[in-house]
Amino acid sequence: MSLSHVSSGKVRDVYDLGDDTLLMITSDRISAFDVVMAEPIPDKGRVLTAITAFWLDRLDSVVPNHLVGLDPPATAIEELGADLVGRTMVVRKAQMLPIEGIVRGYLSGSAWAEYRTSGTMHGERLPTGLRQSDQLPEPVFTPSTKATVGHDLNISVEEAGALVGPEVIKAAQEISVDAYRRGAEWAAERGIIIADTKFELGFIDGELAICDEVLTPDSSRFWPADEWRPGSAPPSFDKQPLRDWLEATGWDKTPPPPALPADVVDATRARYVAAYERLSGANLTEWPGVVQ
Ligand SMILES: Nc1ncnc2c1ncn2[C@@H]1O[C@H](COP(=O)(O)OP(=O)(O)O)[C@@H](O)[C@H]1O
Ligand SMILES: [Mg+2]
């Protein structure tokens, strides 16, 4: 069998296994300020895979998902090499919704920018007097379009309903908010605030399921709980050493990015590993393919 390549995004390479399943390979690529760095972060793809697998296992009884298994087919290892081990998911092919199911528990990023100018979030009015990074009274489902070029557009639930149908958006909202609530509560008990996150949902056998990566530092804002100060932007649990170093170089944030020194790569790797180990209580050295 020869693998058929479907797509390569910023982080994942997707192959069609030909039997209604896909092979998703999570690379060690990392982006900052929307630019992919030249140097990989060793094991980052394994950490993202491990975190997704951890959450899908915890959420399994509550929400349908796309995961079939973690072991790559032997033919894939033959074709692509043993570095595949620990960074693959075999998933059911889904009919993806053309929206991102964002859930926000805290006021940050583009939502904070909108609130500061208009008092709204994705067009919906919020209480007055909220500060940057404040916790919202309730987690809010704030979908966005999936832009093929340029940036995703924040839209209201009604606008998302016009795209996919009001019943579908209601189901997507329920699944997303439920998964976020459970994940954020679990993480908070372990010192990590999941400020917001992005789910990708799709239909499998006529049922709406969680696809893609789930509640990872790449699809979410992870903050160290002990450094959260409303009124300012908390450091990123995972990318702060990288962002700080990049800022300090005076780089203009257009490609090519500067070459990362080994200590920045190491510090970033350590943050990703810590996120997995704190959330799961497991040791990354026990994960397939991890050598150090
Ligand atoms: N079960 C699935 N079926 C079909 N497509 C999926 C499934 N799970 C995830 N995807 C898609 O696979 C791609 C993953 O690649 P990724 O590198 O994360 O892309 P991006 O840079 O767009 O985030 C995304 O386009 C995502 O929507
Ligand atoms: Mg993605």
Side-chain angles (χ1 to χ4, degrees), residues 6-14 22 24-25 29 65-67 89 91-97 100 146-147 198 200-204 210-213:
V6 177
S7 65
S8 287
K10 279 207 284 270
V11 173
R12 284 175 187 76
D13 302 309
V14 181
L22 300 172
M24 297 190 57
I25 304 171
R29 298 192 283 272
N65 71 71
H66 67 158
L67 186 62
M89 296 197 300
V91 303
R92 284 290 306 278
K93 241 179 249 175
Q95 189 75 43
M96 302 301 289
L97 298 187
E100 317 233 321
K146 252 191 224 175
K198 176 202 80 180
E200 294 199 29
L201 299 115
F203 279 99
I204 300 172
I210 289 196
C211 298
D212 208 57
E213 61 181 322

Side-chain angles (χ1 to χ4, degrees), residues 61-85:
S61 58
V62 215
V63 215
N65 71 71
H66 67 158
L67 186 62
V68 177
L70 296 170
D71 294 334
T75 47
I77 297 185
E78 270 164 39
E79 249 178 78
L80 301 170
D83 185 51
L84 230 58
V85 173

